[in-house]
Amino acid sequence: MKSTSPRDQLHKQIDLLPDELVQQIADFALFLLAKRKAAPKYEDWNEQQWNNFALEQFFREEDDEVTYTIADAKEVYRP
């Protein structure tokens, strides 16, 4: 006996749901597709994405009691 694929199982389950829930599933699927496109792999990042990442890391909250400012970042990073 052949086992049913997850895709087939999902189709069967969706067919039994009310339209409101099917719409929510469709919205979620669109969200997942957009997220996949919006988040390229690190090796595909452009210079601006790397700059944003570096700034986020510089200013992220930790148990560090020191407060950093944009002036500190400019002092440390000199292109």
Side-chain angles (χ1 to χ4, degrees):
M1 178 177 215
K2 182 182 172 189
S3 65
T4 310
S5 73
R7 182 181 303 264
D8 291 336
Q9 290 174 357
L10 183 59
H11 278 285
K12 289 176 185 176
Q13 291 174 355
I14 289 174
D15 288 340
L16 300 175
L17 295 174
D19 289 341
E20 298 84 27
L21 289 178
V22 173
Q23 183 61 53
Q24 288 180 5
I25 292 169
D27 292 343
F28 184 66
L30 288 174
F31 163 77
L32 291 175
L33 290 171
K35 183 179 174 185
R36 178 175 273 187
K37 283 185 178 182
K41 296 179 182 175
Y42 293 125
E43 58 265 16
D44 296 332
W45 280 12
N46 62 33
E47 184 176 349
Q48 185 61 47
Q49 288 169 307
W50 280 112
N51 288 340
N52 290 343
F53 175 74
L55 282 173
E56 288 170 4
Q57 294 301 307
F58 186 78
F59 289 110
R60 85 173 172 209
E61 298 281 331
E62 289 186 356
D63 293 336
D64 191 359
E65 294 181 14
V66 178
T67 303
Y68 297 102
T69 65
I70 194 70
D72 296 324
K74 289 178 181 176
E75 182 180 319
V76 172
Y77 176 75
R78 295 186 182 153

